Amino acid sequence: MKPGFHGMRRIHLPFASPFPQRIHLPFSLPFPFIVALAAGAGLRMVAMIGYPGALWFAGDSYVYLGAALRPQPNLSKTTGYSVFLHALEPFHSLTLVAGLQHLMGLAVAVMIYLLLRRNGVSHRWATVATLPVLLDGFVIEDEHMVMAEALFTFLVMVSMLLVIWRSWVPWPVALLAGLLAGCAVDVRSEGLPVLLMFPVVLLVRGLRRDGAWRWRNWCWRNWCWLDWRAWLAAAVMAVGCAAPVAAYAGWFHSWWGSYTLSRAEGFYLWGRVSSFADCARIKPTGDEAVVCPTTPIVDRTPPGNFVWHAPQTHQDMNSLGGPVSYRGNQVLTDFAIHAVEAQPLDYLKTVFFNTMLSFGFPRIAYPGAGTTYYYSFHVHYVTANYNLLPPDNHAWIVGGTAYQDWLSYGHQAPGVVHRVFALPILAYQRVVFTYGPLLALIFLVGLGGLIGVRRRGWQLKSLRLHWAPRGTTMLPWVTAVGLLLAPIAVADFDYRYLIPAIPFACLAAGLAFAPRRSAQASPAAPASVETTVPDQVA
């Protein structure tokens, strides 16, 4: 048992299984974490009572729910989240959907706490690390929406827990972790970097122990087990990661004739480069010249807004079949690539400054007020400027309008607000959330656990990367950075894109307080050694 992970009880499974047979259950949780968890649960309960059913985000929620009622892959986004909604459709309750997503948010916080305690972090710092996940008003509001972030974050966190719970991971656990990560990508394609990071980290953790590479260990008759076990676990996880993505691509092909996850890559990439694309420098030809934005750069709105209104990505593409047709997507993608090649510094500068918006204060209406309005609780669904109700005059998935899909799925009319409970959570959200400077501090603290500073008195001696001495810091921090940068690099900044990155940044920051580990050689665990994972999240 790891240091600082006391007060646990054991349960033995009465059947043979390749998975863990001894599971530690955290029945004895410390009072501070119980209070924090109860506060997070109470806030979510207030939101559910104040806003029965679920909240909507224009466009995305309509697609997800329509695809849940009439299962099909969508041209503009992956609809793995719709499979989750489809599984719950027999209950005809959007309240159930929101409730499960709130439970996922609480489970993510519990997993963060367990991983930190597993690595010897004190009760106090482990609890503090969970607070942004438990108490952030915008996280709670997003969990209450028909949106994919809560499910995506939960799947990635469970996968990460399986990968880093032990330094040695048996291949069945690696396979399960890979399948969960692959399913997460089907839910939200911005998670594609995870499919590369997790198997690589699993391989490195298997080959490197206590700060040294163990290429040869546990050898018997010239057969070295550690090498092959590490490679096997990584390979099996890579296969597990690829399987759900390949299955989704095959499903997409059966509908639209191409093996991919969507046909909107070019659309969003065009939006990304629209903030700096200069036709005079790019010198596009043929169809690419048609889609090159002609609006002066200073007059262009942010990409997340401009791409939805620019004629180059709509009526000007009618001859190509539209922006999400095979030809249209290819033209937009090629133009975006050529724009980056012609203006690489402008691209890097744009990504950098958009990333800095994550750490700014106060929050601004980016990419537009109409977008950020959906990210807050409101007393009224309909105002003079905004209408949060699902429209009844347009079908995002053929077969029913957004309003009809709401009624068909939830069997209740939208727009109900119980003001007694809505007003407190509304006021709370506007005050309690992860402020930009606080998020920057969290990332920096996590980086402090990754980069060690060695000094003699006031003289700096060296800087070096830590892998083993502070346990599992690198993967959570790199995952947080990847989830933060990926959507910005291929689309635009959006405050909603911060939500999946926050839990992993908090986990990395908490691991910075893990005690250093002594460099004692420890042989690879034999096949008979029991693997331990928390029953609450396994």
Side-chain angles (χ1 to χ4, degrees):
M1 189 179 299
K2 296 292 181 181
F5 210 68
H6 304 295
M8 314 298 290
R9 300 180 183 177
R10 299 174 181 175
I11 181 171
H12 296 266
L13 301 180
F15 52 85
S17 170
F19 293 99
Q21 295 186 18
R22 187 177 65 193
I23 300 174
H24 289 240
L25 297 176
F27 289 115
S28 301
L29 293 174
F31 182 72
F33 181 69
I34 293 176
V35 172
L37 188 63
L43 290 168
R44 287 160 172 81
M45 182 60 68
V46 171
M48 292 188 64
I49 298 174
Y51 297 89
L55 301 178
W56 291 77
F57 181 73
D60 295 41
S61 297
Y62 312 151
V63 170
Y64 289 137
L65 204 60
L69 293 170
R70 299 172 292 281
Q72 59 183 277
N74 188 254
L75 289 169
S76 64
K77 57 178 50 64
T78 56
T79 51
Y81 177 65
S82 297
V83 177
F84 166 74
L85 296 177
H86 181 72
L88 300 177
E89 193 264 340
F91 297 97
H92 295 294
S93 174
L94 287 169
T95 298
L96 175 62
V97 173
L100 288 177
Q101 292 181 172
H102 285 310
L103 288 176
M104 290 177 192
L106 296 174
V108 167
V110 172
M111 285 186 277
I112 292 173
Y113 182 84
L114 293 176
L115 282 168
L116 294 177
R117 297 292 295 127
R118 171 75 173 176
N119 284 272
V121 179
S122 67
H123 292 295
R124 177 183 302 173
W125 288 116
T127 300
V128 170
T130 65
L131 295 182
V133 178
L134 290 172
L135 306 181
D136 188 315
F138 285 99
V139 171
I140 296 172
E141 197 269 349
D142 185 84
E143 293 171 3
H144 205 66
M145 299 176 74
V146 183
M147 291 296 287
E149 284 78 24
L151 177 60
F152 170 81
T153 306
F154 175 77
L155 291 174
V156 177
M157 184 61 77
V158 175
S159 179
M160 178 176 289
L161 182 143
L162 294 175
V163 170
I164 67 177
W165 184 259
R166 294 178 65 91
S167 58
W168 178 81
V169 180
W171 72 263
V173 177
L175 177 62
L176 176 59
L179 291 172
L180 291 171
C183 290
V185 172
D186 289 346
V187 169
R188 193 169 181 267
S189 58
E190 288 84 353
L192 278 169
V194 168
L195 301 189
L196 175 63
M197 291 187 293
F198 280 26
V200 170
V201 168
L202 187 61
L203 175 62
V204 174
R205 286 172 59 82
L207 295 178
R208 184 175 171 84
R209 297 282 186 88
D210 303 312
W213 293 101
R214 301 297 181 88
W215 299 100
R216 292 289 182 265
N217 198 7
W218 274 64
C219 293
W220 177 74
R221 292 185 180 179
N222 297 323
W223 186 265
C224 297
W225 290 99
L226 182 60
D227 301 15
W228 290 102
R229 285 186 172 183
W231 285 100
L232 175 62
V236 168
M237 184 176 187
V239 171
C241 288
V245 178
Y248 188 93
W251 184 38
F252 190 95
H253 176 268
S254 69
W255 275 80
W256 308 111
S258 56
Y259 291 98
T260 184
L261 299 181
S262 76
R263 283 189 188 159
E265 302 91 358
F267 181 78
Y268 293 111
L269 283 171
W270 186 94
R272 172 68 284 167
V273 303
S274 69
S275 58
F276 62 84
D278 185 348
C279 298
R281 297 174 60 183
I282 301 170
K283 298 180 175 60
T285 59
D287 291 332
E288 292 183 33
V290 176
V291 301
C292 189
T294 56
T295 306
I297 295 177
V298 295
D299 295 332
R300 298 175 194 172
T301 56
N305 182 279
F306 186 72
V307 70
W308 297 101
H309 306 287
Q312 289 83 7
T313 54
H314 293 87
Q315 56 264 36
D316 290 354
M317 298 197 69
N318 290 338
S319 61
L320 299 175
V324 292
S325 66
Y326 179 82
R327 177 59 181 159
N329 181 54
Q330 186 178 43
V331 170
L332 291 173
T333 301
D334 291 343
F335 172 79
I337 293 174
H338 291 153
V340 173
E341 292 174 344
Q343 302 174 254
L345 295 180
D346 291 329
Y347 171 74
L348 293 175
K349 181 177 68 174
T350 299
V351 171
F352 173 78
F353 283 110
N354 276 179
T355 303
M356 290 302 102
L357 292 176
S358 307
F359 313 120
F361 179 80
R363 287 194 170 201
I364 61 176
Y366 189 99
T371 298
T372 55
Y373 189 80
Y374 281 91
Y375 300 157
S376 299
F377 292 110
H378 300 283
V379 176
H380 303 287
Y381 277 76
V382 180
T383 66
N385 298 319
Y386 301 103
N387 186 348
L388 300 182
L389 295 176
D392 197 22
N393 59 356
H394 182 72
W396 273 258
I397 299 294
V398 176
T401 66
Y403 187 83
Q404 291 168 347
D405 288 345
W406 174 292
L407 295 179
S408 177
Y409 189 97
H411 286 194
Q412 66 180 49
V416 177
V417 177
H418 297 151
R419 294 171 62 94
V420 174
F421 294 92
L423 287 174
I425 194 67
L426 181 155
Y428 174 88
Q429 183 196 16
R430 282 152 175 76
V431 177
V432 182
F433 59 91
T434 307
Y435 289 78
L438 175 59
L439 182 61
L441 178 63
I442 292 172
F443 270 92
L444 288 174
V445 171
L447 183 62
L450 174 64
I451 296 182
V453 180
R454 302 178 66 184
R455 63 185 182 183
R456 182 177 300 166
W458 293 99
Q459 183 179 2
L460 180 64
K461 187 175 179 181
S462 68
L463 290 171
R464 70 186 184 92
L465 292 178
H466 284 286
W467 185 278
R470 286 195 180 275
T472 56
T473 303
M474 177 169 278
L475 182 59
W477 192 84
V478 174
T479 300
V481 172
L483 294 179
L484 176 66
L485 290 180
I488 297 175
V490 300
D492 192 13
F493 169 79
D494 193 304
Y495 286 106
R496 181 165 51 88
Y497 300 157
L498 299 179
I499 291 175
I502 288 176
F504 301 97
C506 291
L507 175 57
L511 287 170
F513 294 91
R516 294 184 181 276
R517 296 180 178 177
S518 59
Q520 297 177 352
S522 57
S528 61
V529 171
E530 297 166 303
T531 305
T532 307
V533 296
D535 184 57
Q536 297 283 352
V537 294

